[in-house]
Amino acid sequence: MAQPHGTGAPPRSVRDATLDGLREYGLTTIFSNPGSTEVGFLTDLPEDLRFVLALHEGSVVGMATGWAIARDRPALVLLHTTAGLGNAVGALATARVNRAPLVVLVGQQDRRHLALEPFLAGKLRDLAGDYPVRVEEPATAQDVPGAIARCRHAAADARGPALVIVPMDDWAAPAESDRVVAAARHVTRADGVEDAGVASLASLLNEADAPALVTGAGTDSEEGWAGLVALAERIGAPVFQESFGARAGFPQDHPLFAGFLPADRPGLRATLAGRDAVLAVGAPVFRQYPYTEGPLVEPGTRVGLLTDDPAEAYRSPVETAVLAPIPAALRLLARHAAARQWTAAPHKDTTTIEAPERPAPGQPMLPAHVLAALAERVPADTVFVEETPSSRPEMHRRVPARRPLGFLSAAMGGLGFALPAATGVRMARPDRPVIAVVGDGSSLYQVQALWSAARYGAGVLFVVLSNGRYAVMDRLAERHGGKPAWPGFPELAVSGLARELSCPSQRVEALDDLVAILDSVVPTLREREEPLVLDVAVAAEADFSGI
């Protein structure tokens, strides 16, 4: 923690935080041939760290390679900007082929004038080519300790050199006491999924009084759902879905489903308050959208991760991360976790959500009217492909995923996903009804996919919520206290574009008409070979509860 003002003690620096991290990971022997960009790190080096000098960078890396192989653990290397890293490339290539885990710190010129390309500034990211297993360029000085931790995990896991490029002024920058370090403290690889591989996660759950689970795309399979249901029911833990998840990782009509995590830190802390342990399974820890201050969870809450994604394991700010095939690891966890009594999670069942009041005469439908009408009619194994940013929270409330592959969205947040993805899903799984729910603005990014859907007999029902604008962007502009710079496009008819692309379509402006069409079309979706676009006029509303 930073020292309070008036104590006389110097403020805690990024160098201080880094040295503590190096001690924790046993990286206390530094192999180096230093230069001026490393002086701030090396001056007055604490006595518990050992400095080993070599007279050429090839020798530096060669010595560290031998040390790492002999100790079977990562070694620490410190190199001097372009000249040092350039001299070391051949030895780094040898380390990679020899599967020697190295954490390589590379000095860089002062961050404050890098844009001017001062003397000793280097273009370092790609200088070693493909030989590093990971390269990190921290975006801010305060990101340096986390970057080093992630590279330590990568070096140990991928068995090779991992590079962190550190501008020379970063070492003296103040460390932020409440900074979330985006790195796991410990990462365990459990390829064979033996009992020892998941022991740390089993202990995390068994030592907790009130554990919770968080899931996402990583468990969206028949085996994943079955394994997570078995674990949740054994330990009586509520299961939350990650925010902005691309897929559903747990049956959202299960009594232990607790809803969707907020995408801001205050909301996240409030939602997980009272939980002394949280295990994320196949989901990031934790996906956020707006930046807000403070920790992700309340003090005292322990966090663990089970994932099959190495990068997710390295960057997650957790006590322990286990890299393993998720379904098999879940089965083991369910055997080792202590059984508990449980009751339904305190989350409103989607079946109890009241239908919205009918629109007044002459008033457009709300997205809730459309989604409620769909929810009342679709079979449980329907695949919903979503791309309607302003209506996504409403969709989550009213249309739960009830089977694996029940929900699909774009993980990156870019538009243009739903129309082609729904077409591909239907072509791959003709046994499943497929419905794409898309905003009219989103549909324009890949409207050409409708031609392919028609040409190849992909019988998707495309439901376009048409409000003639980018509603979520309009509301964000209002939140910022101003007017949007972009116009609306109420004159653009998606139904007309669809017809020009040989895809059948209908414009729908009244709720009774929508209900009649759905009553006719939904029962045909399992066998349907002709796509249909419903261009549904809706009011321009935007829900920020999921943003």
Side-chain angles (χ1 to χ4, degrees):
M1 296 180 62
Q3 296 295 325
H5 293 295
T7 63
R12 181 173 165 81
S13 67
V14 166
R15 179 180 184 261
D16 295 329
T18 298
L19 293 176
D20 285 345
L22 295 178
R23 293 181 179 106
E24 181 175 356
Y25 289 119
L27 296 170
T28 55
T29 298
I30 305 169
F31 297 91
S32 182
N33 180 267
S36 57
T37 53
E38 294 74 60
V39 168
F41 177 74
L42 291 172
T43 300
D44 292 329
L45 193 70
E47 293 183 358
D48 62 326
L49 273 72
R50 179 187 182 196
F51 182 87
V52 177
L53 176 68
L55 303 184
H56 185 275
E57 288 79 7
S59 297
V60 169
V61 175
M63 292 168 63
T65 298
W67 192 96
I69 291 172
R71 299 284 295 269
D72 193 27
R73 55 189 262 194
L76 179 62
V77 172
L78 182 65
L79 300 176
H80 175 52
T81 191
T82 310
L85 179 57
N87 285 343
V89 170
L92 291 172
T94 299
R96 175 68 181 270
V97 178
N98 278 5
R99 296 177 56 79
L102 306 179
V103 178
V104 183
L105 306 185
V106 183
Q108 175 63 291
Q109 245 286 5
D110 193 300
R111 185 187 293 272
R112 293 168 292 186
H113 65 164
L114 271 178
L116 300 177
E117 296 196 13
F119 180 67
L120 290 181
K123 299 184 185 299
L124 303 174
R125 169 170 281 278
D126 299 319
L127 186 57
D130 293 333
Y131 294 115
V133 297
R134 187 180 183 93
V135 178
E136 291 259 2
E137 287 188 282
T140 69
Q142 290 72 30
D143 289 330
V144 168
I148 294 172
R150 292 190 295 273
C151 280
R152 187 266 177 194
H153 297 319
D157 186 51
R159 311 298 297 182
L163 275 58
V164 186
I165 300 164
V166 186
M168 59 193 296
D169 59 311
D170 282 6
W171 300 119
E176 297 177 358
S177 60
D178 63 348
R179 181 80 165 200
V180 174
V181 177
R185 292 185 64 189
H186 304 288
V187 175
T188 300
R189 177 175 281 280
D191 287 328
V193 197
E194 300 173 350
D195 291 4
V198 299
S200 59
L201 299 182
S203 296
L204 181 81
L205 296 174
N206 290 339
E207 292 167 9
D209 293 323
L213 303 173
V214 174
T215 191
T219 58
D220 187 21
S221 65
E222 294 286 351
E223 283 190 321
W225 277 38
L228 195 58
V229 166
L231 177 62
E233 291 182 349
R234 180 163 180 83
I235 66 174
V239 181
F240 296 90
Q241 173 76 27
E242 62 168 318
S243 62
F244 293 102
R247 298 165 69 176
F250 187 80
Q252 293 170 3
D253 57 350
H254 191 283
L256 281 172
F257 180 63
F260 294 79
L261 288 182
D264 66 288
R265 296 184 188 188
L268 185 64
R269 291 194 296 270
T271 299
L272 297 177
R275 299 291 165 185
D276 54 351
V278 180
L279 174 62
V281 183
V285 181
F286 295 103
R287 194 185 304 276
Q288 301 277 284
Y289 177 47
Y291 178 77
T292 48
E293 297 288 344
L296 294 170
V297 295
E298 296 288 356
T301 299
R302 302 170 65 190
V303 183
L305 172 66
L306 170 61
T307 182
D308 55 10
D309 179 352
E312 192 166 77
Y314 304 155
R315 69 173 176 262
S316 294
V318 298
E319 175 181 315
T320 184
V322 172
L323 265 169
I326 291 175
L330 282 172
R331 288 193 293 270
L332 267 181
L333 269 177
R335 289 210 301 266
H336 287 280
R340 308 169 190 244
Q341 297 294 321
W342 59 272
T343 57
H347 175 66
K348 190 172 184 181
D349 192 329
T350 53
T351 60
T352 66
I353 296 177
E354 296 181 0
E357 294 185 9
R358 292 181 62 86
Q363 295 297 310
M365 286 177 277
L366 299 175
H369 292 115
V370 183
L371 296 167
L374 285 169
E376 291 172 1
R377 290 164 175 80
V378 296
D381 65 340
T382 299
V383 180
F384 276 94
V385 184
E386 176 271 336
E387 194 168 44
T388 173
S390 61
S391 301
R392 187 177 194 182
E394 189 71 49
M395 184 172 177
H396 283 327
R397 281 192 286 268
R398 295 187 178 276
V399 189
R402 293 179 284 171
R403 297 287 187 276
L405 195 62
F407 176 82
L408 183 60
S409 186
M412 286 296 293
L415 301 180
F417 172 79
L419 300 189
T423 301
V425 169
R426 178 65 179 170
M427 293 173 70
R429 293 297 303 269
D431 58 312
R432 298 278 294 267
V434 180
I435 299 176
V437 181
V438 191
D440 54 348
S442 301
S443 73
L444 300 178
Y445 282 76
Q446 285 297 329
V447 71
Q448 302 93 331
L450 297 177
W451 181 89
S452 298
R455 174 66 177 79
Y456 296 104
V460 179
L461 176 60
F462 298 98
V463 179
V464 180
L465 304 178
S466 294
N467 53 39
R469 64 191 66 193
Y470 295 117
V472 74
M473 290 292 294
D474 292 349
R475 297 300 178 263
L476 286 170
E478 292 175 6
R479 178 185 282 185
H480 280 269
K483 296 180 179 180
W486 48 91
F489 41 89
E491 70 282 356
L492 196 153
V494 177
S495 53
L497 291 173
R499 283 192 293 271
E500 293 298 323
L501 291 164
S502 304
C503 183
S505 65
Q506 295 184 48
R507 174 74 173 179
V508 185
E509 299 186 351
L511 181 57
D512 288 340
D513 293 339
L514 174 67
V515 168
I517 294 169
L518 293 180
D519 283 341
S520 173
V521 172
V522 168
T524 73
L525 290 179
R526 201 176 300 277
E527 298 81 23
R528 191 179 183 91
E529 295 184 357
E530 183 181 65
L532 175 63
V533 172
L534 297 183
D535 182 9
V536 185
V538 296
E541 291 199 339
D543 186 338
F544 289 105
S545 63
I547 294 179

